């Protein structure tokens, strides 16, 4: 079947009454500042997102996660919130948000918000009260400590964005803790009033119809109650981010955080069919504890293992095995290739491997998240020094921590600002936007964009790809092969991670089938018998013929 035929047949997702929607969904992260500007200020906005909804409908994604759109001084581009229950004027109004939510829902697309409960902006009225005096009723909403005997910070805790995590407040003679910028004071999650306030924020949006949250740095919420110094990290070397010189055992991943997450989960469950996703950068064995005891935690603790995995077949197969084995019973997996904090996949694995990466993301067992622009292969953009906006890069310059390069405007067409804006965009569009853009790729059946569409369509058609088990088959040299199985349906995925062509021999009851999706779009429908030849950097999704021995439904 040709590429276009595959796209046009878009059957409704097979209803699975027992499984929640987010298990078979494809999530799509939008960085709203960079998606589409409509008011000519060079910054993306909600009406822009509304205008580009057809792109997301055509792509076939099931849910959008929007990075923060709340009122913010934008010291950390919205991750410093000064009002949790409104929309920043740069993005639009609550009415714009309601209209977007409504339009998305009419297209069957869910909308998730970014919840940032770990810290507020220092301009949030809660912090303004808290810092007003030592006996202000909100003093204990944040983390205040006396200076050390020498007048310095209370302990050695470091900010993720460079320097001490403690900022001195001369007016009240104490330090406050900030895991990120000093303009982002951490809330005190040991205080029940803080918890109640954020749970009310969640209810505000859930009542409005929001389908769930991605919770920012959820593993940071609770800090050591004894404020012990973090130990030093013997593996740290100059040139690595300065905060990594300590092992953050007392500032993150504290045991009591799981109680808090379970409470958040209960708030989400006051409403039907909502999802709680947690941002967590931890090794797999720690990550999976965030499903919570008896799955009382996050529905999806984000799995970032692929963000820094070496791009080798055996290494990837190993980490999939490790992750699959570590999941608690009933814990649903998920996969991520990129986000607004990390180098883009195109820059990590190289353009040649983008199709293989897409195929991997969309055929592994679990919920995939696509980062905007990934579907057209956007790469990190080199940011000239005078255009740096990211506070992390400004505070810790020159060692490659800057995040502006992965946050550049979506490349819609070959126009001046890539179709993103009529003005100078807040960050420069990619130099390749004249060629690599949505308009060009839409018209090319063999494009990366159309591969994403074909893969997402194949997920809708083949339950094995969404609900099926994961069975590793081979990982040697540059070849990675696995099977997804659901009842009698079996789908084989074969990926060539290198430039040399390779022949996969298929044996026994996995010997015959038909190509469902080929990475270049020119082999869909091809019959497969006994072996599958893969060209340089090629991948194929093959529907295997039902085997007699697997007749049980
Ligand atoms: C994680 C977010 O993804 C990142 O962009 C932000 O700077 C920090 N949390 C602080 O909120
Ligand atoms: Mg704008």
């Amino acid at each position: 079947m040709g590429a276009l035929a595959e796209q046009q047949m878009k059957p409704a997702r097979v209803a699975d009454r027992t499984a929640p929607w987010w298990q078979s969904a494809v999530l799509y992260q939008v960085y709203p500042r960079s998606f589409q500007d409509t008011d000519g200020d060079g910054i993306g906005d909600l009406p822009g997102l509304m205008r580009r909804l057809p792109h997301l409908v055509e792509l076939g994604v099931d849910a959008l996660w929007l990075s923060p759109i709340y009122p913010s001084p934008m010291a950390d581009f919205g991750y410093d919130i000064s009002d949790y229950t409104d929309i920043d004027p740069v993005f639009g109004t609550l009415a714009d948000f309601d209209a977007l939510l409504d339009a998305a829902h009419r297209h069957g697309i869910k909308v998730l918000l970014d919840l940032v409960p770990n810290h507020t902006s220092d301009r949030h009225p809660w912090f303004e009260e808290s810092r007003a005096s030592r006996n202000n009723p909100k003093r204990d909403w944040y983390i205040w400590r006396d200076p050390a005997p020498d007048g310095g910070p209370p302990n050695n805790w470091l900010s993720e964005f460079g320097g001490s995590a403690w900022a001195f407040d001369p007016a009240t003679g104490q330090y406050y803790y900030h895991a990120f910028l000093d303009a982002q004071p951490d809330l005190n999650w040991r205080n029940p009033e803080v918890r109640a306030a954020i749970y009310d924020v969640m209810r505000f949006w859930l009542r409005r119809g929001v389908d769930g949250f991605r919770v920012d740095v959820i593993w940071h919420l609770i800090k050591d109650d004894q404020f012990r110094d973090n130990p030093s990290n013997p593996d740290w070397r100059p040139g690595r981010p300065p905060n990594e010189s300590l092992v953050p055992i007392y500032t993150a991943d504290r045991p009591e955080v799981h109680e808090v997450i379970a409470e958040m989960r209960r708030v989400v469950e006051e409403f039907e069919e909502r999802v709680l996703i947690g941002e967590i950068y931890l090794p797999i064995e720690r990550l999976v504890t965030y499903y919570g005891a008896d799955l009382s935690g996050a529905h999806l603790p984000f799995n970032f293992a692929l963000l820094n995995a070496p791009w080798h077949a055996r290494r990837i197969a190993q980490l999939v095995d490790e992750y699959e084995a570590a999941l608690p019973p009933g814990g649903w997996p998920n996969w991520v290739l990129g986000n607004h904090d990390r180098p883009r996949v195109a820059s990590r694995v190289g353009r040649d491997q983008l199709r293989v990466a897409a195929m991997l993301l969309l055929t592994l067992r679990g919920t995939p998240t696509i980062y905007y622009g990934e579907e057209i292969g956007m790469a990190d953009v080199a940011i000239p020094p005078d255009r740096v906006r990211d506070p992390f890069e400004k505070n810790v310059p020159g060692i490659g921590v800057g995040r502006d390069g992965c946050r550049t405007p979506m490349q819609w067409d070959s126009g001046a600002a890539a179709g993103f804006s009529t003005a100078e965009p807040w960050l420069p569009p990619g130099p390749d936007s004249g060629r690599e853009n949505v308009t060009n790729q839409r018209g090319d059946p063999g494009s990366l964009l159309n591969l994403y569409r074909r893969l997402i369509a194949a997920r809708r058609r083949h339950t094995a790809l969404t609900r099926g088990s994961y069975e590793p088959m081979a990982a040697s040299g540059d070849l990675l092969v696995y099977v997804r199985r659901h009842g009698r349906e079996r789908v084989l995925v074969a990926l060539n991670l290198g430039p040399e062509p390779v022949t996969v021999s298929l044996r026994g009851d996995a010997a015959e089938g038909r190509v469902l999706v080929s990475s270049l779009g020119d082999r869909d429908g091809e019959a497969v018998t006994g072996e599958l030849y893969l060209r340089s950097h090629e991948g194929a999704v093959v529907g295997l013929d039902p085997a007699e021995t697997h007749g049980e439904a």
Side-chain angles (χ1 to χ4, degrees):
M1 186 185 307
L4 289 172
E6 175 97 14
Q7 283 156 28
Q8 278 153 11
M9 299 175 40
K10 230 187 211 177
R13 195 179 293 298
V14 189
D16 183 338
R17 264 172 238 98
T18 57
W21 65 268
W22 45 265
Q23 294 191 344
S24 49
V26 175
L27 312 184
Y28 185 96
Q29 179 188 359
V30 173
Y31 195 69
R33 286 185 80 81
S34 297
F35 207 59
Q36 177 67 54
D37 176 28
T38 52
D39 61 356
D41 62 356
I43 301 175
D45 41 51
L46 293 179
L49 187 38
M50 178 80 130
R51 201 184 114 198
R52 295 302 190 176
L53 214 47
H55 169 68
L56 303 170
V57 172
E58 199 173 87
L59 186 58
V61 299
D62 303 281
L64 309 181
W65 145 37
L66 312 188
S67 281
I69 49 178
Y70 317 100
S72 164
M74 302 290 169
D76 190 20
F77 298 108
Y79 285 94
D80 50 319
I81 296 168
S82 53
D83 179 354
Y84 284 100
T85 54
D86 204 347
I87 302 293
D88 193 282
V90 83
F91 296 122
T93 62
L94 269 175
D96 292 330
F97 178 75
D98 288 340
L100 174 67
L101 186 63
D102 191 54
H105 282 171
R106 272 186 279 115
H107 286 291
I109 296 179
K110 312 267 188 189
V111 177
L112 313 179
L113 287 184
D114 209 314
L115 181 74
V116 188
N118 180 70
H119 45 269
T120 67
S121 161
D122 61 348
R123 315 256 196 95
H124 194 292
W126 297 343
F127 188 70
E128 287 178 343
E129 283 186 49
S130 185
R131 80 182 322 171
S133 76
R134 287 204 191 195
N135 49 26
N136 185 280
K138 290 214 167 53
R139 185 65 168 181
D140 189 47
W141 279 43
Y142 293 82
I143 301 172
W144 291 98
R145 300 291 284 172
D146 286 334
D150 68 354
N155 66 20
N156 75 349
W157 294 356
L158 294 175
S159 157
E160 299 274 317
F161 291 160
S164 171
W166 295 98
F168 188 63
D169 177 53
T172 58
Q174 284 189 312
Y175 283 86
Y176 65 87
Y177 175 72
H178 58 90
F180 297 92
L181 298 174
D182 56 7
Q184 293 167 295
D186 279 45
L187 283 163
N188 174 14
W189 272 84
R190 294 182 185 272
N191 183 333
E193 290 176 22
V194 166
R195 299 186 186 195
I198 294 290
Y199 302 155
D200 280 345
V201 167
M202 294 170 72
R203 292 186 186 102
F204 172 89
W205 293 107
L206 291 167
R207 254 182 241 122
R208 246 187 154 80
V210 160
D211 300 286
F213 300 100
R214 170 270 191 189
V215 184
D216 192 65
V217 295
I218 202 168
W219 86 114
H220 275 251
L221 293 179
I222 296 279
K223 302 50 154 139
D224 183 39
D225 53 358
Q226 296 169 55
F227 295 89
R228 285 169 280 190
D229 275 353
N230 279 325
S232 65
N233 172 6
D235 298 329
W236 183 81
R237 296 285 170 273
R240 297 289 308 151
N243 69 303
E244 292 179 12
S245 65
L246 300 180
V247 188
I249 59 174
Y250 292 120
T251 39
D253 194 27
R254 300 300 304 160
E256 307 96 306
V257 76
H258 297 287
E259 288 162 34
V260 171
I261 298 174
E263 282 181 0
M264 278 186 177
R265 168 71 176 267
R266 289 198 286 275
V267 174
V268 164
E269 283 184 349
E270 290 167 16
F271 300 77
E272 307 260 295
E273 299 197 20
R274 313 300 163 100
V275 67
L276 188 69
I277 304 177
E279 184 207 19
I280 300 148
Y281 285 92
L282 286 174
I284 284 174
E285 72 277 8
R286 298 296 317 146
L287 172 68
V288 295
T289 65
Y290 284 75
Y291 286 96
D294 302 321
L295 305 183
S296 58
H299 291 111
L300 299 174
F302 259 146
N303 167 16
F304 297 133
L306 287 175
L307 289 182
N308 30 25
W311 206 249
H312 296 309
R314 198 157 321 128
R315 194 51 209 112
I316 292 174
Q318 262 166 16
L319 83 79
V320 177
D321 288 349
E322 226 181 288
Y323 179 61
E324 285 276 352
L327 288 169
W332 187 255
N334 75 89
W335 296 96
V336 175
L337 279 181
N339 62 35
H340 64 294
D341 294 325
R342 294 297 162 118
R344 282 186 177 271
V345 63
S347 301
R348 298 199 317 271
V349 308
R351 227 169 241 301
D352 288 341
Q353 274 294 304
L354 280 181
R355 288 158 192 269
V356 165
M359 215 168 243
L360 181 74
L361 175 73
L362 292 163
T363 61
L364 282 173
R365 191 174 81 93
T367 304
T369 301
I370 298 170
Y371 180 50
Y372 85 95
E374 237 164 56
E375 72 274 33
I376 52 167
M378 276 173 61
D380 281 351
V381 175
I383 307 294
D386 62 323
R387 295 214 51 185
V388 169
R389 303 293 303 270
D390 180 12
F392 193 4
E393 176 66 22
K394 288 184 178 177
N395 286 0
V396 185
I399 61 165
V401 297
R403 301 169 296 176
D404 292 327
C406 67
R407 299 175 173 179
T408 57
M410 180 67 176
Q411 296 171 190
W412 295 107
D413 60 40
S414 54
F420 163 75
S421 177
T422 51
E424 169 90 355
W426 77 289
L427 284 173
D432 61 353
S433 62
R435 197 179 61 248
E436 304 299 347
N437 60 58
V438 172
T439 307
N440 281 352
Q441 293 198 19
R442 270 188 91 207
D444 171 5
S447 68
L448 183 65
L449 175 60
N450 279 316
L451 173 61
Y452 270 86
R453 293 174 58 186
R454 286 182 295 124
L455 285 165
I456 294 172
R459 289 173 57 91
R460 283 179 189 262
R461 241 203 311 281
H462 302 282
T463 311
L465 285 174
T466 48
R467 309 225 40 91
S469 60
Y470 167 84
E471 298 170 12
M473 297 281 283
S476 65
D478 285 326
L479 183 65
L480 179 60
V481 186
Y482 47 90
V483 166
R484 302 288 314 281
R485 179 198 302 264
H486 185 260
R488 283 171 56 84
E489 187 183 41
R490 293 172 308 150
V491 174
L492 178 132
V493 180
L495 305 173
N496 182 359
L497 275 68
E500 297 305 324
V502 54
T503 300
V504 189
S505 48
L506 303 172
R507 280 183 302 267
D509 62 10
E512 299 196 359
R514 200 164 286 280
V515 175
L516 301 174
V517 184
S518 67
S519 61
L520 291 160
D522 53 356
R523 295 174 65 180
D524 297 13
E526 188 181 296
V528 175
T529 33
E531 58 181 34
L532 174 66
Y533 176 75
L534 292 177
R535 293 167 288 184
S536 169
H537 303 293
E538 189 175 29
V541 178
V542 178
L544 295 175
D545 291 345
E548 304 307 325
T549 45
H550 297 285
E552 84 290 349

